[in-house]
């Protein structure tokens, strides 16, 4: 797609034009003329791209391709200039960041002034070369423009409704997955899952239908219903990626099952007991079988599974006649396994398309919400049009609704409907499907603003059907240059806005968000994903591969590799034009990661001097090549590898680096040079590093996770160790000792913008609750003993109400606080989620006083020594979920639970005595929770 290529080059040209005049002397005019030419082409190319997608004019397709190639050539020329200038600067003094990296302007302008007198001759040569290349590119653009006229390629202005893309969109977070027209299917599925008396053995339940018909939506609704959650002790949901390995399927089921059975006392996260992941030699199948034995389970497999893989799964799941179920969500071709079920099998639940009435009902809810509707005088007109266009296919209905949510009614609606109805009978030839579904997806894509087109196409580099971490995605967008700066907002906040707009337009599905309204995970429907991959391939935006040998052309600019089957992937050929490499490989667990790329195989990246993004998950990698430091364009470096032993010292030469994300590593601290902490463009660092005594001028730094303050000894540190990183939003520190306390408190006093804080160590200062600067703090997690103060439990309860007005989520482990401290916590006005785990509270009796925890919605208690828990009648009035873990000495549940009308779920882990007290027949505590819809007992 030429439009995205031109958008990228225009952004880069704008950065260069804004650069200091002396740097671009004698080149600035050429660059500005190139920008003007590209801007004119940009106005024509959007319509041409749309016509190219319709396959209605081969001349248009050639013109679009040639324009795109010249735009790529322009990007290469500009990047080559920046690369050569940067490399020569590096040998002659400090290397300032390139434009567009988010660093403060004053620093790099000062560096340029120092560099300029020493390199005047080199500047002339570089400018000469760039000027010649730009003039040649402009000449080619003139020739292409002349060809457009010679072959009578006319420009058709975009329809008026497309110009409204910048209008305020409808809410992004009200798009519930309505199962309109699925009532009878929901009843059939629920009956088959809960039918223990008739079919007590482990039974296979299957849901089938064409792609986009709503199979997953139906299954998810029933899976999350209170009846099903109450009925099964363990529930797992596994999405099968293409060509998945049987071991990976079992491992995912085992991980989910284990997370519901065990909790790690050390950190509160799900413990992956066992299996080959934790111990290396234990068979995952046997471990899964043991965990499931004695428990009624529900296993959902979403995707087509081979008969051999099904046999492997079946052998790993016990059949004890307790009503366990396996649900297969697939198309008709995937039903082959039914003949090999090896036990009771229900008739498949086959979904059909929606009726006209249900089609409009789904459309209405997606556009106007649960209770809104189209004005009566237009309703009958659109009632028929929506069905004629979508033919009752739920995905088509949802995407069409996403387009019309932001359009004016009736004028723009009529234009959209007319365009789709006129094209309804045109033949389509594409890999991702034909007919109305693709027309609607194409129209929705055409309707996206320029900047959102690139963001959406980036999903082509992500694995199919798998949830995508939103924070990672936004950081990648920022590194790619897709996100435009906006006054008063960080680039990440703007990127979140982009993601929410894609959700509002129904191009992306919301998977999860946090209490603060931040999107945390999203997914793209597999049919939209196929559309994105096809469009990205056509436009040379992303080249995607899922095989062992990646034979990417030398001209590839973005390379995505998803491989879940092979133990080794060869990436050996040089890729001189490469800007981005994104890889997701099979994960073999913490102790034995997948053998995907050996360290020597990364040598091919040395030829990719324009690399901006390296994001590779699932490596067996012990070191990175030293040549990494020569790739000065790198903005994002993300690696998930369990065996990384060291980083090259040249990493400090990545003067444009924004994000360094190192995850999955087991072991101690990684060494990094002190110069790394002076890279001014750093925005996110997630890595097991030791912090120096003081950071450099990191005013762009927002995230600092996984680090240890080994250099923060109070006797050695003078001043504030984070005094020049005052824009931090998220900080996670481990390895804290009493010697770090003074430096830590000083650092916290300067972090006015901090919203997330994790402290872990042998000694934690109670000042974390009293430092006045942390008024914006929303999430706090403490793991370790809290130091005592002369003040009662470390803080004055009245003061804390005002000092922590935004604290919403609090987790405490091993803090050993007393009742007075808990009383203080009860006064926090915004606290919605509280976790008190092993050693967090010191005492045998815990009391929640009258009126305490008024905003609390989720409470998790894991206190093995707790004998009595007293709750006053006016406490926790908003509580919705209560989880008790291994509180073995607790005598009874509080009487006040019976009056909590908002309570929706009670979960008891490893509390057999309490399970007996809540039984419906004769349980002494049953009356206290009989009104709760979901009650789960797991041991």
């Amino acid at each position: 797609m030429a439009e995205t290529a031109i958008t990228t080059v225009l952004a880069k040209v704008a950065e260069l034009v804004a650069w200091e005049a002396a740097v671009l002397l004698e080149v600035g005019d050429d660059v500005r003329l190139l920008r003007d030419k590209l801007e004119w082409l940009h106005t024509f190319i959007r319509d041409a791209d749309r016509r190219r997608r319709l396959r209605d004019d081969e001349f248009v397709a050639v013109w679009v391709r040639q324009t795109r190639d010249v735009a790529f050539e322009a990007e290469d020329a500009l990047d080559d200039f920046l690369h050569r200038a940067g490399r020569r600067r590096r040998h002659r003094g400090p290397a300032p960041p390139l434009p567009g990296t988010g660093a403060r302007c004053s620093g790099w302008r000062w560096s340029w002034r120092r560099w300029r007198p020493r390199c005047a001759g080199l500047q002339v040569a570089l400018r000469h070369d760039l000027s010649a290349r730009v003039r040649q590119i402009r000449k080619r653009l003139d020739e292409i423009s002349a060809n457009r006229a010679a072959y009578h390629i006319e420009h058709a202005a975009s329809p008026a409704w497309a110009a409204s893309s910048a209008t305020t969109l409808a809410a992004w977070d009200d798009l519930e997955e309505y199962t309109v027209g699925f009532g009878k299917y929901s009843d059939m599925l629920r009956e088959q899952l809960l039918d223990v008396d008739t079919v007590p053995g482990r039974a296979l339940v299957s849901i089938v239908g064409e792609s986009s018909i709503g199979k997953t939506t139906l299954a998810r609704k029933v899976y999350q219903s209170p009846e099903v959650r109450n009925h099964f002790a363990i529930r797992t949901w596994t999405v099968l990626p293409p060509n998945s390995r049987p071991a990976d399927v079992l491992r995912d089921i085992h991980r989910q099952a284990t997370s519901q059975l065990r909790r790690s006392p050390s950190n509160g996260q799900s413990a992956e007991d066992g299996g080959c992941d934790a111990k290396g030699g234990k068979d995952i199948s046997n471990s899964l079988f043991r965990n499931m034995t004695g428990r009624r389970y529900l296993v959902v497999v979403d995707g087509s599974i081979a008969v051999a893989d099904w046999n492997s799964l079946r052998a790993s799941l016990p059949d004890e006649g307790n009503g366990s179920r396996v649900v297969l969500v697939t198309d008709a071709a995937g039903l082959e396994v039914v003949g090999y079920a090896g036990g009771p099998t229900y008739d498949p639940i086959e979904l059909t398309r929606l009726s006209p009435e249900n089609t409009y009902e789904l459309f209405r809810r997606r556009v106007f919400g649960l209770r809104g509707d189209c004005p009566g005088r237009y309703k009958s007109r659109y009632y028929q049009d929506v069905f004629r266009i979508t033919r009752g296919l739920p995905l088509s209905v949802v995407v069409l609704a996403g387009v019309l949510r932001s359009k004016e009614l009736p004028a723009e609606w009529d234009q959209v409907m007319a365009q789709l109805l006129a094209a309804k009978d045109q033949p389509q030839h594409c890999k991702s499907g034909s007919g109305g579904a693709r027309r609607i997806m194409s129209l929705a894509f055409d309707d996206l603003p320029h900047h959102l087109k690139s963001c959406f196409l980036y999903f082509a580099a992500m694995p199919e059907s798998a949830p995508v971490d939103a924070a990672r995605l936004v950081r990648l967008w920022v590194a790619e240059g897709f996100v435009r700066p906006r006054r008063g907002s960080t680039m990440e906040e703007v990127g979140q806005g982009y993601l929410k707009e894609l959700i509002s337009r129904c191009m992306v599905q919301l998977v999860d968000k946090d209490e603060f309204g931040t999107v945390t995970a999203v997914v793209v429907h597999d049919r939209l994903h196929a559309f994105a991959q096809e469009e990205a391939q056509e436009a040379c935006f992303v080249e995607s591969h899922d095989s062992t040998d990646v034979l990417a052309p030398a001209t590839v600019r973005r390379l995505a590799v998803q491989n879940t089957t092979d133990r080794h992937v060869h990436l050996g050929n040089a890729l001189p034009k490469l800007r981005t490499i994104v890889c997701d490989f099979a994960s073999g667990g913490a102790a034995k990661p997948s053998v995907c790329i050996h360290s020597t195989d990364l040598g091919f990246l040395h030829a990719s001097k324009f690399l901006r993004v390296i994001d590779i998950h699932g490596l067996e990698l012990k070191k990175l090549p030293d040549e990494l430091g020569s790739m000065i364009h790198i903005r994002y470096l993300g690696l998930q590898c369990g065996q990384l032993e060291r980083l090259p010292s040249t990493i400090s030469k990545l003067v444009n680096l924004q994000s360094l994300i190192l995850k999955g590593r087991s072991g101690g601290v990684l060494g990094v040079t002190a110069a790394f902490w002076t890279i001014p463009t750093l925005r996110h660092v997630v890595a097991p590093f030791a912090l120096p005594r003081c950071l450099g001028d990191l005013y762009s730094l927002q995230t600092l996770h996984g680090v240890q303050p080994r250099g923060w000894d109070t006797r050695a540190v003078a001043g504030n160790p984070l005094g020049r990183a005052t824009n931090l939003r998220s900080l996670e520190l481990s390895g804290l000792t009493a010697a770090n306390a003074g430096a830590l408190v000083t650092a916290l006093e300067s972090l006015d913008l901090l919203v997330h804080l994790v402290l872990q160590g042998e000694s934690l200062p109670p000042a974390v609750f009293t430092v006045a600067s942390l008024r914006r703090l929303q999430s706090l997690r403490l793991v370790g003993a809290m130091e005592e103060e002369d003040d009662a439990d470390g803080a004055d309860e009245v003061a804390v109400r005002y000092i922590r007005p935004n604290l919403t989520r609090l987790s405490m482990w091993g803090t050993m606080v007393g009742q007075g401290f808990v009383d203080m916590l009860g006064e926090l006005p915004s606290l919605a989620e509280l976790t008190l785990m092993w050693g967090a509270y010191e005492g045998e009796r815990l009391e929640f006083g009258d009126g305490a925890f008024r905003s609390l919605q989720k409470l998790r208690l894991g206190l093995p020594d707790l004998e009595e828990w007293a709750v006053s009648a006016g406490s926790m009035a908003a509580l919705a979920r209560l989880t008790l873990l291994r509180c073995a000495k607790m005598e009874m549940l509080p009487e006040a639970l019976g009056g909590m009308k908002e309570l929706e779920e009670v979960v008891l882990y490893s509390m057999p005595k309490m399970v007996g007290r809540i039984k419906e027949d004769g349980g002494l505590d049953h009356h206290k929770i009989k009104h709760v819809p979901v009650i789960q007992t797991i041991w």
Side-chain angles (χ1 to χ4, degrees), residues 251 254-255 258 262 271-284 286-288 290-291 588-591:
R251 185 174 292 110
H254 178 264
R255 176 187 59 79
T258 304
R262 301 173 184 269
E272 296 195 8
D273 154 35
C276 52
D277 291 354
K279 299 183 179 179
K282 192 184 295 184
D283 181 70
I284 189 69
N286 292 337
S287 182
L288 176 60
R290 284 194 298 271
N291 276 347

Side-chain angles (χ1 to χ4, degrees), residues 770-829:
T770 58
V771 172
S773 59
L774 302 181
R775 293 183 181 274
R776 299 191 184 191
L777 192 65
Q778 298 174 345
S779 174
L780 175 62
R781 184 175 177 187
L782 304 173
V783 183
M786 189 94 74
E787 296 178 2
E788 294 186 3
E789 282 192 353
D790 296 336
D791 196 0
D793 285 300
D796 176 70
E797 63 182 45
V798 177
V800 169
R801 294 184 60 187
Y802 301 101
I803 293 175
R804 297 292 174 270
N806 295 299
L807 188 60
T808 305
R809 184 192 305 147
L810 174 62
S811 300
M812 301 175 68
W813 300 71
T815 50
M816 301 297 288
V817 300
Q819 181 64 53
F821 198 96
V822 174
D823 293 340
M824 177 270 294
L825 297 180
E827 296 291 325
L828 292 171

Side-chain angles (χ1 to χ4, degrees), residues 311-609:
N311 290 333
S312 175
L313 173 60
R314 186 183 54 161
S316 305
L317 299 174
D319 184 358
E320 301 176 289
N322 60 2
S324 293
R325 295 289 186 266
V326 178
V327 177
L328 179 62
V329 183
T330 185
D331 54 21
L335 281 181
E336 183 184 4
V337 301
V338 173
Y340 300 85
T345 303
Y346 287 98
D347 291 337
I349 300 173
E350 186 170 0
L351 274 60
T352 58
R353 294 198 177 196
L354 300 176
S355 66
E357 294 79 7
N358 287 326
T359 295
Y360 183 77
E361 178 64 11
L362 176 60
F363 174 79
R364 178 191 68 78
R365 292 189 182 189
R366 279 286 180 161
V367 176
F368 300 104
L370 185 59
R371 295 179 177 83
D373 200 354
C374 183
R377 60 186 181 277
Y378 306 122
K379 184 173 180 178
S380 60
R381 181 197 315 177
Y382 300 128
Y383 178 91
Q384 294 296 333
D385 286 348
V386 171
F387 184 74
R388 288 174 62 196
I389 291 169
T390 65
R391 308 308 298 175
L393 189 65
L395 178 65
S396 296
V397 176
V398 166
V399 176
L400 177 60
V403 173
L404 294 177
R405 292 183 94 207
S406 61
K407 306 306 175 192
E408 291 186 5
L409 197 158
E412 293 180 347
W413 278 44
D414 287 342
Q415 294 175 31
V416 173
M417 298 291 192
Q419 179 174 328
L420 289 172
L421 288 169
K424 186 165 69 74
D425 298 323
Q426 292 182 4
Q428 300 291 321
H429 305 284
C430 62
K431 296 179 181 179
S432 62
S434 61
R438 194 186 192 283
R439 282 196 306 274
I440 296 170
M441 288 187 286
S442 292
L443 181 138
F445 181 72
D446 287 333
D447 188 46
L448 293 176
H450 300 303
H451 57 282
L452 288 187
K453 281 188 169 73
S454 298
C455 293
F456 175 73
L457 288 184
Y458 212 76
F459 282 98
M462 302 293 132
E464 179 184 342
S465 301
V468 178
D469 179 76
R472 171 198 176 198
L473 182 65
V474 169
R475 290 169 186 170
L476 288 168
W477 285 351
V478 172
E480 293 278 6
F482 299 160
V483 180
R484 301 171 179 175
R486 187 174 65 203
R487 185 181 297 274
S489 300
T490 66
M491 299 288 275
E492 290 72 16
E493 290 168 345
V494 177
Q496 268 279 322
Y498 289 2
L499 193 53
K500 291 174 181 178
E501 187 170 351
L502 287 172
I503 294 171
S504 178
R505 291 173 175 271
C506 302
M507 300 291 283
V508 174
Q509 296 175 4
L510 175 67
V511 174
D512 201 8
K513 62 177 181 176
D514 63 20
E515 310 87 59
F516 318 113
T518 301
V519 178
T520 56
V522 295
V523 70
V524 174
H525 190 280
D526 54 4
R527 203 156 178 175
L528 278 165
H529 186 270
F531 172 83
Q533 283 200 324
E534 180 187 338
E535 185 64 26
Q537 185 85 12
E538 176 74 23
C540 297
F541 184 85
V542 173
E543 180 102 9
S544 298
H545 293 268
D546 59 5
S547 60
T548 302
D549 293 314
V550 179
L551 301 177
T555 57
V556 66
R557 307 180 86 77
R558 293 186 182 90
L559 177 63
V561 182
Q562 284 94 38
N563 188 293
T564 59
T565 59
D566 301 296
R567 299 288 289 170
H568 178 75
V569 175
H570 180 66
L571 295 169
N573 54 315
L575 304 171
K577 307 292 186 182
L578 192 66
R579 265 73 175 177
T580 297
I581 180 168
V582 177
C583 300
D584 282 277
F585 298 110
S587 176
K592 192 175 182 180
S594 299
V595 182
C596 295
I597 298 180
H598 296 297
S599 59
T600 54
D601 293 336
L602 288 179
F604 78 97
L605 294 179
H606 182 53
S608 308
K609 61 183 180 180

Side-chain angles (χ1 to χ4, degrees), residues 238-251:
T238 298
V239 177
L240 294 184
N243 305 316
S244 58
R245 298 183 301 178
D248 292 327
V249 176
L250 296 180
R251 185 174 292 110

